[in-house]
Amino acid sequence: MPDLLLELRSEEIPARMQRKAAGDLRKMLTDGLVEAGLTYEAAREYWTPRRLTLDIRGLAARSKDISEEIKGPSTSAPEQAVQGFLRKAGLSSIAEAHVHSDPKKGDFYVAHISKPGRAAEQIIADLVPGIIRNFPWPKSMRWGPASAKPGSLRWVRPLQSILCTFGPETEEPVVVDFEIDGIRSGNITYGHRFHAPDAITVRRFDDYVSKLEAAKVVLDADRRKEIILADARNLAFANGLDLVEDEGLLEEVSGLVEWPVVLMGEFEEAFLAIPAEVIRLTIRANQKCFVTRPQGVDDALSNRFILTANIEAKDGGKEIAHGNGKVVRARLSDALYFWTTDQGDLPDLRELEASAEKFGLDLKKPLDQRMARLDHLGVTFHAKLGTQGERVERIKRLAEELAPTVVQSISPLEGEMAGRPEGVAAREAPASSDRDGASHPVVPTPSVAFGDISPSRGEITALAARAAVLAKADLTTEVVGEFPELQGAMGRKYALLQGEHASVAAAAEEHYKPQGPSDRVPSDPVSITVALADKLDTLVGFWAIDEKPTGSKDPYALRRAALGVVRILIENAVSSSLRHQLANALFGFMFNQGARFSAVWRAEDGGEFTTGVGSSRDLLDKRFVGLSSEVAGSSQDRPAAQLIPDLIAFFHDRLKVYLRDQGARHDLIDAVITPQSDDLLQIVRRVEALGSFLDTEDGKNLLAGTKRAANILAAEEKKKTVVAETVEPALFREDAEKSLFAAVNQAEKQAGEAVQNDDFSGALLALSVLREPVDSFFEHVLVNDEDQAVRANRLALLARIRAATGQVADFSRIAG
């Protein structure tokens, strides 16, 4: 079958657009071919800085003939209906239609339409110009004299030529002829701009690739990446160095060259005084070069870098490397200036004294000065949520509230971990099982890093408060101003330079983590505390101003923040009431932004009144209606009575996603989570215990009996059958009733005590004694007895089973 080769050659396409553009070209053309009635076996796209190429194999030479019948109105239909039918069928008069008869509906019109197939060349010639004119470039341009005319061609960079050939391997392919804005398709392409600028005649894809290779163009982007990576590794190794690999940079560089030539440049060793992250970003962002490090050394760089040229220079690339070295030196000189400036005093220290006093800052320390400046300048966090300074104040207050909870959760581990330099596994995670019985941990084993000496609880609270104050200080540094992606990392370095506690310095960087599902979570207790405070403040703030994620839109990354809270709590085994912590966060907005937010309460007479809030506990009062906010001088009511329940539900959704990714069964998650569940760690442990229990024979049988009881109850409640409020032993007629009643009393009490101690496996073990009494009850007792009082009493006994098991999970939601 014939193959199609299409190349769109232009001036240099930005590297970041190439891969998507090639994919868009493949999709648009193949979709159009299929819609036109053509089939194909395979299609693959290619790209270089100067061309987008599509290779379609096994394309049908012609679309099929089509015959179809279009049913029309009755022969007695009004003229308007007849005319609509003619337009739909493409007929000029009703005489061209046929009349069909139906015994029930009578005579009606039918149009017999025959569409002959079209040659593939004709379909392609019609499709490609439209694709080119409507191509979805993020940015495009017009050029040349034609650009002055309305509707002139737009492309990402000036389009220079179009190659389009079609035909089978056994025959000479033909040029698919079409023209767009003076550019006519042909079988001509061009190689490397400098090495092979002459025209190349092409027949089909195989000789196209080979001729381009001979003309110093590597068409396959993945092969260019392999060449660059292999040559860079070899060149670094030959010089006693290791390449610092960077997949994102490799992707970008492969889109900058058609014929990659790897070279090595260098800069003065004095610049190595700059932090490695700054050197790497400076060279990466400005020169698109890779950095190297001494072999076997992970935390230091060398003064050599790897660059990728697009030309084989006569001097072996010496001038190219020298020129890149000059630019790198200039950029590193700027970076060195930023680095040293950030460690010096600010010129406006007197103006910062009020801010320093507010946050307890020491203006002799550079990072403290930057925090004072951040507050003094009134840098806006969000127009409706105040300044960064106000936000830091809230985070500090919330961190002080959270610290005791974090310390209480991890304190049992202190004795084991004191004196160890690294975090050590705290405890084994319970296992969860899939339906096939395979056991696996639902969540990773938590670990907590304390450093050489475990701080006391009071010290951790003080360190958390200090870390919260300094966490955003690096936002006003020169280095972060130049490289925003270094926020946090530079805060850590500057904190260590001015002698801050290692945990405070770590929190400056780690409070942003985790940045995604694969990023590690902070493990230092101070970092945990500040990270939670930062994320909870963000979530509560945007919920308070009704800026929630909608559909696929999440401009403030609130889903990521919520998932971060979920992972931090679970993977560090922190047990905490989210409801109370969210109330603490919400109270923080009212405390330091009273002019912006105040609480609305429901009065006894049913009306409402607005007032301040005395403590975060008030926000959990049922009389709390919402928030009243005044933003930019205008009063706006932002109902928030459901703010905390809504956020709890949002966390539940993120937790479900997290647990499913960890292999937990969805029905077990649904059985455990209720709107009142606000301790995420407890939810996880319930799911783990429930999964293990249901893998046992007792668990399976108890599930069957409990679900039977729940189904009977649900059916009777739906029919509004009377269910006794309490079980009356005097109405028992069967021994099985008595045995079940005694077992339920015992199991309910023991399970309740176990749940109070967070021993969910123990609670399920206590409930397992119900297995035999439940089986015996359903075997020997008829629930729907003729005596209404007996029936109501037996239904109440079933309700007790549901209540007892419901202390751990809603068994009716479990499959099986």
Short mmCIF file of all heavy atoms in Angstrom, two decimals, residues 209-239:
data_model
loop_
_atom_site.label_atom_id
_atom_site.label_comp_id
_atom_site.label_asym_id
_atom_site.label_seq_id
_atom_site.Cartn_x
_atom_site.Cartn_y
_atom_site.Cartn_z
N VAL A 209 15.40 10.13 4.97
CA VAL A 209 16.19 10.06 6.19
C VAL A 209 17.68 9.94 5.88
O VAL A 209 18.51 10.63 6.46
CB VAL A 209 15.72 8.88 7.08
CG1 VAL A 209 16.65 8.71 8.28
CG2 VAL A 209 14.31 9.10 7.55
N SER A 210 18.01 9.06 4.97
CA SER A 210 19.43 8.83 4.65
C SER A 210 20.06 10.06 4.00
O SER A 210 21.22 10.40 4.29
CB SER A 210 19.58 7.60 3.75
OG SER A 210 18.87 7.78 2.53
N LYS A 211 19.33 10.73 3.12
CA LYS A 211 19.89 11.92 2.47
C LYS A 211 20.04 13.07 3.47
O LYS A 211 21.00 13.84 3.39
CB LYS A 211 19.01 12.32 1.29
CG LYS A 211 19.13 11.37 0.10
CD LYS A 211 18.24 11.81 -1.07
CE LYS A 211 18.41 10.87 -2.26
NZ LYS A 211 17.55 11.26 -3.40
N LEU A 212 19.08 13.20 4.40
CA LEU A 212 19.23 14.23 5.43
C LEU A 212 20.44 13.94 6.32
O LEU A 212 21.18 14.85 6.70
CB LEU A 212 17.97 14.32 6.29
CG LEU A 212 16.78 15.09 5.73
CD1 LEU A 212 15.63 15.11 6.73
CD2 LEU A 212 17.16 16.52 5.36
N GLU A 213 20.63 12.65 6.66
CA GLU A 213 21.78 12.29 7.49
C GLU A 213 23.08 12.65 6.78
O GLU A 213 24.02 13.18 7.39
CB GLU A 213 21.75 10.79 7.79
CG GLU A 213 22.75 10.34 8.81
CD GLU A 213 22.19 10.29 10.22
OE1 GLU A 213 20.95 10.38 10.37
OE2 GLU A 213 22.97 10.17 11.16
N ALA A 214 23.12 12.39 5.47
CA ALA A 214 24.31 12.76 4.70
C ALA A 214 24.48 14.27 4.62
O ALA A 214 25.61 14.77 4.46
CB ALA A 214 24.22 12.15 3.29
N ALA A 215 23.37 14.98 4.77
CA ALA A 215 23.41 16.45 4.74
C ALA A 215 23.47 17.04 6.14
O ALA A 215 23.07 18.18 6.36
CB ALA A 215 22.19 16.97 4.00
N LYS A 216 23.96 16.25 7.09
CA LYS A 216 24.20 16.71 8.47
C LYS A 216 22.92 17.10 9.20
O LYS A 216 22.87 18.10 9.91
CB LYS A 216 25.18 17.89 8.48
CG LYS A 216 26.49 17.63 7.77
CD LYS A 216 27.34 16.63 8.52
CE LYS A 216 28.73 16.49 7.88
NZ LYS A 216 29.55 15.47 8.53
N VAL A 217 21.88 16.29 9.04
CA VAL A 217 20.64 16.49 9.79
C VAL A 217 20.21 15.15 10.38
O VAL A 217 19.97 14.20 9.63
CB VAL A 217 19.50 17.05 8.91
CG1 VAL A 217 18.19 17.12 9.72
CG2 VAL A 217 19.85 18.42 8.38
N VAL A 218 20.14 15.06 11.72
CA VAL A 218 19.61 13.88 12.39
C VAL A 218 18.13 14.13 12.64
O VAL A 218 17.77 14.99 13.45
CB VAL A 218 20.35 13.61 13.72
CG1 VAL A 218 19.74 12.40 14.43
CG2 VAL A 218 21.83 13.41 13.48
N LEU A 219 17.28 13.40 11.92
CA LEU A 219 15.84 13.69 11.95
C LEU A 219 15.19 13.30 13.27
O LEU A 219 14.34 14.03 13.78
CB LEU A 219 15.15 12.97 10.79
CG LEU A 219 13.65 13.21 10.66
CD1 LEU A 219 13.37 14.67 10.29
CD2 LEU A 219 13.04 12.27 9.63
N ASP A 220 15.57 12.18 13.83
CA ASP A 220 14.90 11.64 15.02
C ASP A 220 15.39 12.38 16.27
O ASP A 220 16.56 12.31 16.64
CB ASP A 220 15.22 10.14 15.14
CG ASP A 220 14.39 9.46 16.22
OD1 ASP A 220 13.82 10.17 17.06
OD2 ASP A 220 14.32 8.22 16.21
N ALA A 221 14.48 13.05 16.97
CA ALA A 221 14.85 13.82 18.16
C ALA A 221 15.37 12.92 19.27
O ALA A 221 16.31 13.30 19.99
CB ALA A 221 13.64 14.61 18.66
N ASP A 222 14.79 11.73 19.43
CA ASP A 222 15.28 10.83 20.47
C ASP A 222 16.70 10.36 20.16
O ASP A 222 17.51 10.18 21.08
CB ASP A 222 14.34 9.63 20.60
CG ASP A 222 13.00 10.01 21.19
OD1 ASP A 222 12.95 11.00 21.96
OD2 ASP A 222 11.99 9.34 20.88
N ARG A 223 17.01 10.18 18.91
CA ARG A 223 18.39 9.79 18.56
C ARG A 223 19.35 10.95 18.82
O ARG A 223 20.48 10.74 19.27
CB ARG A 223 18.45 9.36 17.09
CG ARG A 223 19.83 8.87 16.69
CD ARG A 223 19.79 8.02 15.44
NE ARG A 223 21.15 7.88 14.93
CZ ARG A 223 21.66 8.58 13.93
NH1 ARG A 223 20.89 9.46 13.29
NH2 ARG A 223 22.90 8.41 13.53
N ARG A 224 18.91 12.18 18.55
CA ARG A 224 19.76 13.34 18.87
C ARG A 224 20.04 13.39 20.37
O ARG A 224 21.15 13.69 20.81
CB ARG A 224 19.11 14.64 18.41
CG ARG A 224 19.01 14.80 16.90
CD ARG A 224 18.77 16.24 16.49
NE ARG A 224 17.57 16.81 17.04
CZ ARG A 224 16.35 16.69 16.52
NH1 ARG A 224 16.19 15.99 15.40
NH2 ARG A 224 15.31 17.25 17.08
N LYS A 225 19.01 13.09 21.17
CA LYS A 225 19.21 13.07 22.62
C LYS A 225 20.22 12.00 23.02
O LYS A 225 21.09 12.23 23.89
CB LYS A 225 17.87 12.82 23.32
CG LYS A 225 16.91 13.99 23.27
CD LYS A 225 15.54 13.63 23.80
CE LYS A 225 15.54 13.31 25.26
NZ LYS A 225 14.16 13.11 25.78
N GLU A 226 20.12 10.82 22.41
CA GLU A 226 21.06 9.75 22.72
C GLU A 226 22.49 10.14 22.36
O GLU A 226 23.44 9.86 23.11
CB GLU A 226 20.66 8.47 21.98
CG GLU A 226 19.36 7.86 22.47
CD GLU A 226 18.87 6.74 21.57
OE1 GLU A 226 19.60 6.43 20.58
OE2 GLU A 226 17.79 6.19 21.81
N ILE A 227 22.66 10.79 21.20
CA ILE A 227 23.99 11.22 20.77
C ILE A 227 24.56 12.24 21.76
O ILE A 227 25.71 12.13 22.19
CB ILE A 227 23.92 11.82 19.35
CG1 ILE A 227 23.58 10.73 18.32
CG2 ILE A 227 25.23 12.51 18.97
CD1 ILE A 227 23.26 11.28 16.94
N ILE A 228 23.75 13.23 22.11
CA ILE A 228 24.22 14.28 23.03
C ILE A 228 24.59 13.68 24.38
O ILE A 228 25.66 13.98 24.93
CB ILE A 228 23.13 15.36 23.21
CG1 ILE A 228 22.90 16.10 21.89
CG2 ILE A 228 23.52 16.35 24.30
CD1 ILE A 228 21.66 16.98 21.89
N LEU A 229 23.73 12.83 24.92
CA LEU A 229 23.98 12.26 26.24
C LEU A 229 25.23 11.38 26.24
O LEU A 229 26.08 11.49 27.14
CB LEU A 229 22.76 11.47 26.71
CG LEU A 229 22.83 10.90 28.13
CD1 LEU A 229 23.04 12.01 29.15
CD2 LEU A 229 21.55 10.11 28.45
N ALA A 230 25.34 10.50 25.24
CA ALA A 230 26.50 9.60 25.18
C ALA A 230 27.80 10.38 24.99
O ALA A 230 28.80 10.13 25.69
CB ALA A 230 26.32 8.59 24.05
N ASP A 231 27.79 11.35 24.07
CA ASP A 231 29.01 12.13 23.83
C ASP A 231 29.37 12.98 25.05
O ASP A 231 30.56 13.16 25.37
CB ASP A 231 28.83 13.02 22.60
CG ASP A 231 28.82 12.22 21.30
OD1 ASP A 231 29.04 10.99 21.37
OD2 ASP A 231 28.57 12.81 20.24
N ALA A 232 28.37 13.53 25.73
CA ALA A 232 28.64 14.35 26.91
C ALA A 232 29.23 13.51 28.04
O ALA A 232 30.18 13.92 28.71
CB ALA A 232 27.35 15.04 27.38
N ARG A 233 28.68 12.32 28.25
CA ARG A 233 29.23 11.42 29.27
C ARG A 233 30.68 11.06 28.95
O ARG A 233 31.54 11.08 29.84
CB ARG A 233 28.39 10.15 29.35
CG ARG A 233 27.05 10.31 30.04
CD ARG A 233 26.23 9.05 29.88
NE ARG A 233 24.97 9.08 30.61
CZ ARG A 233 23.99 8.17 30.46
NH1 ARG A 233 24.15 7.16 29.60
NH2 ARG A 233 22.89 8.26 31.16
N ASN A 234 30.92 10.71 27.69
CA ASN A 234 32.27 10.29 27.30
C ASN A 234 33.27 11.43 27.44
O ASN A 234 34.40 11.23 27.90
CB ASN A 234 32.25 9.76 25.87
CG ASN A 234 31.47 8.46 25.74
OD1 ASN A 234 31.31 7.73 26.73
ND2 ASN A 234 30.98 8.17 24.55
N LEU A 235 32.85 12.63 27.02
CA LEU A 235 33.76 13.78 27.10
C LEU A 235 34.07 14.12 28.56
O LEU A 235 35.23 14.42 28.91
CB LEU A 235 33.14 14.98 26.39
CG LEU A 235 34.00 16.25 26.31
CD1 LEU A 235 35.34 15.97 25.64
CD2 LEU A 235 33.24 17.33 25.54
N ALA A 236 33.05 14.06 29.42
CA ALA A 236 33.29 14.33 30.84
C ALA A 236 34.21 13.27 31.44
O ALA A 236 35.16 13.59 32.17
CB ALA A 236 31.95 14.37 31.59
N PHE A 237 33.96 12.01 31.12
CA PHE A 237 34.78 10.92 31.66
C PHE A 237 36.23 11.05 31.21
O PHE A 237 37.16 10.81 31.99
CB PHE A 237 34.20 9.58 31.22
CG PHE A 237 34.95 8.39 31.75
CD1 PHE A 237 34.76 7.96 33.05
CD2 PHE A 237 35.87 7.70 30.95
CE1 PHE A 237 35.45 6.87 33.56
CE2 PHE A 237 36.57 6.61 31.45
CZ PHE A 237 36.36 6.19 32.75
N ALA A 238 36.43 11.44 29.96
CA ALA A 238 37.79 11.59 29.43
C ALA A 238 38.56 12.67 30.17
O ALA A 238 39.80 12.67 30.16
CB ALA A 238 37.73 11.89 27.94
N ASN A 239 37.84 13.60 30.80
CA ASN A 239 38.48 14.67 31.55
C ASN A 239 38.42 14.44 33.06
O ASN A 239 38.59 15.38 33.85
CB ASN A 239 37.83 16.01 31.20
CG ASN A 239 38.22 16.52 29.82
OD1 ASN A 239 39.22 17.22 29.67
ND2 ASN A 239 37.45 16.13 28.81
#
